[in-house]
Amino acid sequence: MTRTAIKGLLLATSILGTAGFAQAADVTLTVESWRNDDLAIWQEKIIPAFEAKNPGIKVVFAPTAPTEYNAALNAKLDAGSAGDLITCRPFDASLELFKKGHLASLNDLPGMENFSPVAKSAWTTDDGATTFCVPMASVIHGFIYNKDAFDTLGISVPTTEAEFFAALDKIKAEGSYIPMAMGTKDLWEAATMGYQNIGPTYWKGEEGRAALIKGEQKLTDDAWVEPYRVLAKWKDYLGDGFEAQTYPDSQNLFTLGRAAIYPAGSWEIGLFNTQAQFKMGAFPPPVKNAGDTCYISDHNDIGVGLNPKGANPEAAKKFLSFVSSPEFADIYANSLPGFFSLNSTAVKMADPLAQEFVSWREKCKPTIRSTYQILSRGTPNLENETWTESANVINGTDTPEVAGEKLQKGLDSWYKPAK
Amino acid sequence: MSNTPSTHDATGPVIKRPTRWHIVVFLLPAFIVYSAVMILPLVETLRLSLFNTVDGQSTFVGLGNFKVLFGDERWAHDFWNALKNNFIFFVIHMLVQNPMGVALAAMLSLPKLRFASFYRTAIFLPTLLSFVIVGFIWKLILSPIWGVSPFLLDVVGLKSLFSPWLGKPGSALIAVSLISVWQYVGIPMMLIYAALLNIPEEVIEAAECDGVTGWSQFWKIKLPLILPAIGIISILTFVGNFNAFDLIYTVQGALAGPDGSTDILGTLLYRTFFGFQLQLGDRSMGATIATVMFLIILAGVSLYLFVIQRRMRRYQF
């Protein structure tokens, strides 16, 4: 607590300092954000790049603590004191702001054409008509592996499900590595790194996700139960006592070199690069049969929107166009390896591991986590239930079929798809 | 009835006492503070449980929320599961924590015991620790990867007995309950210890003269004399357990996994009221669960106060 308090104080002084300085300029834009980890990147890289091209506009990046962001932002918006630009949380939190008129429609913003509909899905109304935030960053799921281990054991990178399990068998038989570092104690690991990681391959990404929202598919369908069947097989390859293994345990097992494969999210890259003493590589979720289309979870995480009550809408729009440009994508993605730009223009990443992750976008079809849009608005909450059931399937508490049934039953109790 | 005026007359003119304002003045600060921080929120919670949001407006729905909680299959399942787990949590405390507290206190009060004050402090110390620390320590001790417990079991050749207790639906609740017992066993120990010290020497001496010593002295003399203290401890345990939340939250997370096997009323209330992850908070249903918890605790305390405590025999020295 004290540390955050001190951070807050330091932050406040730096912001006040820059704000005072910026007053000399013609127009000042303030960016509301929860990403206070990114403060240095904004101040040293992003803002100077923008200001150099747009003389007369000053930008101030004013982050709040992540846990306080939603509440603080709402209060500021209601009081009319919020900044010109607002960093958008994905899905319902931002949709709520748009409905209240706190975010402007950005359909006609120059630069929006640089984003695919999937990239925009987190900040688009349910009917798909209006987009209200510029997508900024996403995280990609896949598997990070210990290259040294693969080399010594003579395993090549698996591309199909059969090869994947063959590789796991080989690692297990050899015995010096835990085949896969994952635990079910924290529940979300099983759901996010497990189910949402390999799932899109089976439900065909966006196709299946859209059909689920429309009510054309059910979680009891084979496409949605199949990933659970595969997850159930993972059980034999996890470490001893994986039932009580937490997320930090898994991270440490892998970075200490005790496990060979880590079901990952790209946000791990930064940390793993600093901690792991061995070479790492990554591969996308294996497909069922060689030659099948691969699907990846490219989950939207951060966007930026326009406060319609801001003082300088024109300058703010210029900034948003900058955010949607390939130049911004390049700066952002390379400063924060693991948080990928959602821009359709491919960004060349300096970090090889991050480059590997982002290269999948060219050959695989992206989708977002199936439970995030619309389907988690009611009680019981589908995302939370998916956590519990994914862990249950791996623990063997529930069979894949039972898990699918439970999830669908919970969803049916409140969700009536629009006909 | 006709007598009344005459008796009144018999006492003579009523002496008009000055109103004793100071009583009101002295009570007022405590009354205001207590009302503001305890009574008002409680009443507000009870009120909120009768309201729900209908079409964006807070509307009076009577007992509608309770109907949902007990009538809706999913809600009822979560609620009864939490109540059952909470009950098991309480039973484990009653069966392990309190007898252990009594036993420890009895041993501490043995006059021949050396280092008594050291043991007393050591056993009481966990109670003073934050539940965050306790939760973290025990998660590490029981960790199958870095934990000291699999290592120690391995040393004595009993590694096969180890299993990831916190991660298995069958054992997680027992494990968490025992962690809680470990933390709080100092409280019954201290209360019983104080009660044991309060037993006058003469009673013990008299018992010894009658030939009641050792175990039978404990069962026949000391235990009856400390029963009221045990009663108080039981009710404290009951209230504490049905309000419990913190340790489960730190050890098992808000979803109280695996498979909801450690979900108690406190964690259910937290998830419902504040929301969790993508689940948005539902204040009305949260207040409804809080109200039910209040009623359960009220019922338990009343049962104790009006039925058990009245029958308990007290001894005056």
Side-chain angles (χ1 to χ4, degrees):
Chain A
M1 274 324 276
T2 9
R3 260 187 80 184
T4 36
I6 291 169
K7 254 193 201 165
L9 279 174
L10 282 172
L11 254 161
T13 49
S14 68
I15 292 156
L16 290 177
T18 33
F21 168 71
Q23 234 145 44
D26 309 344
V27 175
T28 305
L29 296 176
T30 309
V31 185
E32 303 280 351
S33 177
W34 72 89
R35 293 287 313 168
N36 47 18
D37 292 348
D38 304 352
L39 184 67
I41 291 149
W42 278 82
Q43 287 182 342
E44 287 160 21
K45 293 184 177 161
I46 297 170
I47 295 174
F50 174 73
E51 287 177 350
K53 285 198 171 166
N54 296 276
I57 305 178
K58 290 271 168 201
V59 180
V60 177
F61 183 68
T64 325
T67 46
E68 290 152 23
Y69 179 70
N70 293 15
L73 180 67
N74 278 323
K76 279 193 212 168
L77 284 168
D78 288 336
S81 61
D84 307 274
L85 296 156
I86 290 158
T87 309
C88 305
R89 297 265 194 196
F91 303 102
D92 289 355
S94 290
L95 185 61
E96 195 65 19
L97 292 180
F98 174 71
K99 282 186 181 155
K100 280 190 199 155
H102 291 320
L103 286 171
S105 159
L106 297 177
N107 282 347
D108 43 6
L109 183 85
M112 278 311 252
E113 67 280 0
N114 292 343
F115 299 98
S116 69
V118 180
K120 289 191 277 196
S121 62
W123 301 284
T124 301
T125 48
D126 291 355
D127 55 10
T130 313
T131 303
F132 42 82
C133 292
V134 180
M136 200 152 90
S138 73
V139 289
I140 297 177
H141 283 299
F143 295 84
I144 299 178
Y145 66 93
N146 184 330
K147 222 176 202 164
D148 295 352
F150 269 45
D151 288 346
T152 41
L153 296 180
I155 300 170
S156 54
V157 175
T159 53
T160 65
E161 201 188 300
E163 284 173 25
F164 181 67
F165 281 105
L168 288 172
D169 278 330
K170 201 164 176 187
I171 303 165
K172 194 178 178 184
E174 198 271 339
S176 55
Y177 292 94
I178 296 167
M180 188 145 52
M182 195 179 85
T184 54
K185 171 81 171 31
D186 289 342
L187 310 177
W188 71 268
E189 249 188 302
T192 311
M193 317 285 225
Y195 191 64
Q196 300 290 2
N197 185 355
I198 62 166
T201 308
Y202 301 91
W203 62 71
K204 307 218 173 304
E206 282 299 281
E207 201 182 300
R209 194 177 71 84
L212 190 65
I213 292 172
K214 283 195 201 116
E216 288 160 4
Q217 287 187 13
K218 298 217 166 285
L219 291 163
T220 46
D221 291 353
D222 223 35
W224 297 87
V225 177
E226 182 78 30
Y228 275 138
R229 289 197 198 109
V230 178
L231 273 194
K233 283 199 273 177
W234 283 19
K235 180 179 184 171
D236 301 332
Y237 304 103
L238 304 177
D240 249 0
F242 67 89
E243 292 100 330
Q245 183 177 326
T246 61
Y247 171 56
D249 288 344
S250 308
Q251 288 179 313
N252 285 324
L253 273 185
F254 183 73
T255 51
L256 290 173
R258 283 173 57 181
I261 299 177
Y262 180 85
S266 58
W267 65 85
E268 310 277 14
I269 294 173
L271 179 83
F272 280 12
N273 275 339
T274 55
Q275 291 198 340
Q277 303 293 320
F278 48 85
K279 279 203 221 96
M280 287 179 292
F283 58 89
V287 293
K288 201 147 190 226
N289 302 306
D292 284 359
T293 321
C294 58
Y295 293 87
I296 50 167
S297 165
D298 189 356
H299 189 72
N300 307 343
D301 203 30
I302 310 174
V304 201
L306 174 68
N307 178 2
K309 299 184 191 80
N312 313 300
E314 286 316 309
K317 276 189 179 162
K318 268 190 197 159
F319 185 79
L320 287 176
S321 288
F322 168 72
V323 171
S324 61
S325 70
E327 187 194 354
F328 175 87
D330 188 46
I331 302 173
Y332 190 82
N334 273 310
S335 316
L336 286 167
F339 288 89
F340 301 113
S341 160
L342 283 156
N343 206 302
S344 307
T345 323
V347 175
K348 192 80 198 144
M349 306 280 298
D351 185 276
L353 200 55
Q355 175 58 34
E356 176 61 38
F357 267 92
V358 84
S359 72
W360 303 337
R361 277 185 179 165
E362 286 156 36
K363 54 176 184 180
C364 302
K365 289 193 179 168
T367 181
I368 56 170
R369 292 180 201 152
S370 59
T371 50
Y372 269 60
Q373 194 181 28
I374 303 174
L375 298 179
S376 280
R377 279 185 197 156
T379 314
N381 187 284
L382 183 62
E383 168 74 356
N384 293 357
E385 298 268 292
T386 303
W387 288 18
T388 305
E389 285 312 318
S390 303
N392 280 355
V393 166
I394 297 179
N395 288 347
T397 317
D398 278 338
T399 64
E401 289 74 20
V402 169
E405 257 165 54
K406 276 193 188 170
L407 292 177
Q408 185 61 38
K409 205 167 149 208
L411 187 61
D412 283 341
S413 71
W414 61 269
Y415 182 64
K416 304 281 174 282
K419 290 271 152 60
Chain B
M1 282 305 279
S2 55
N3 280 352
T4 322
S6 65
T7 42
H8 193 93
D9 282 350
T11 56
V14 182
I15 303 158
K16 199 164 181 254
R17 287 209 201 136
T19 322
R20 289 185 281 183
W21 285 111
H22 62 276
I23 295 179
V24 179
V25 171
F26 284 139
L27 282 179
L28 206 59
F31 178 74
I32 290 174
V33 170
Y34 191 76
S35 301
V37 302
M38 296 296 288
I39 308 284
L40 207 65
L42 181 63
V43 171
E44 230 357 68
T45 308
L46 298 184
R47 196 186 64 85
L48 193 58
S49 70
L50 302 177
F51 285 76
N52 208 331
T53 322
V54 181
D55 300 328
Q57 292 288 315
S58 180
T59 320
F60 181 78
V61 293
L63 294 177
N65 292 335
F66 294 91
K67 244 182 233 159
V68 172
L69 183 63
F70 295 111
D72 181 274
E73 193 194 336
R74 313 267 325 180
W75 278 108
H77 169 266
D78 283 1
F79 175 77
W80 292 115
N81 175 49
L83 188 64
K84 184 195 86 195
N85 289 339
N86 217 147
F87 191 71
I88 297 173
F89 191 66
F90 170 63
V91 168
I92 292 177
H93 276 79
M94 286 300 283
L95 289 182
V96 182
Q97 175 188 288
N98 297 348
M100 222 153 111
V102 176
L104 287 171
M107 283 191 265
L108 279 181
S109 61
L110 290 178
K112 284 178 207 145
L113 185 76
R114 296 171 69 198
F115 310 118
S117 59
F118 168 76
Y119 292 131
R120 203 175 56 207
T121 317
I123 295 168
F124 193 69
L125 212 58
T127 310
L128 306 176
L129 290 178
S130 157
F131 52 86
V132 181
I133 299 172
V134 171
F136 186 72
I137 292 174
W138 275 97
K139 250 164 97 174
L140 265 185
I141 293 177
L142 295 177
S143 162
I145 302 163
W146 337 101
V148 70
S149 55
F151 171 75
L152 286 180
L153 281 175
D154 201 19
V155 167
V156 292
L158 293 172
K159 183 80 192 289
S160 57
L161 284 183
F162 181 81
S163 83
W165 289 297
L166 286 176
K168 295 208 157 162
S171 58
L173 182 62
I174 300 171
V176 178
S177 306
L178 291 178
I179 295 174
S180 171
V181 166
W182 175 84
Q183 183 178 11
Y184 290 115
V185 73
I187 290 182
M189 180 194 78
M190 279 303 196
L191 288 171
I192 303 278
Y193 184 57
L196 281 172
L197 292 185
N198 262 340
I199 300 173
E201 276 301 305
E202 301 87 62
V203 178
I204 305 291
E205 276 167 21
E208 274 165 6
C209 291
D210 290 342
V212 184
T213 52
W215 275 109
S216 73
Q217 187 187 63
F218 176 77
W219 289 112
K220 288 183 178 148
I221 311 290
K222 287 182 176 168
L223 196 62
L225 289 174
I226 57 170
L227 262 185
I230 292 176
I232 292 288
I233 287 160
S234 306
I235 203 66
L236 281 178
T237 311
F238 176 76
V239 175
N241 284 171
F242 278 84
N243 271 329
F245 160 74
D246 39 25
L247 189 73
I248 304 243
Y249 179 75
T250 40
V251 178
Q252 301 294 73
L255 282 179
D259 200 15
S261 62
T262 51
D263 198 17
I264 59 170
L265 291 169
T267 44
L268 178 66
L269 165 68
Y270 173 84
R271 279 203 313 278
T272 312
F273 195 93
F274 294 103
F276 177 63
Q277 203 58 17
L278 296 187
Q279 181 182 339
L280 300 174
D282 183 342
R283 294 170 53 197
S284 300
M285 285 310 289
T288 309
I289 295 173
T291 305
V292 174
M293 283 170 75
F294 171 70
L295 293 177
I296 291 172
I297 294 172
L298 190 69
V301 174
S302 307
L303 182 80
Y304 172 77
L305 283 181
F306 297 117
V307 180
I308 298 172
Q309 201 179 37
R310 287 192 180 182
R311 298 193 182 165
M312 210 176 270
R313 293 176 69 178
R314 279 158 201 288
Y315 301 90
Q316 292 274 318
F317 308 119

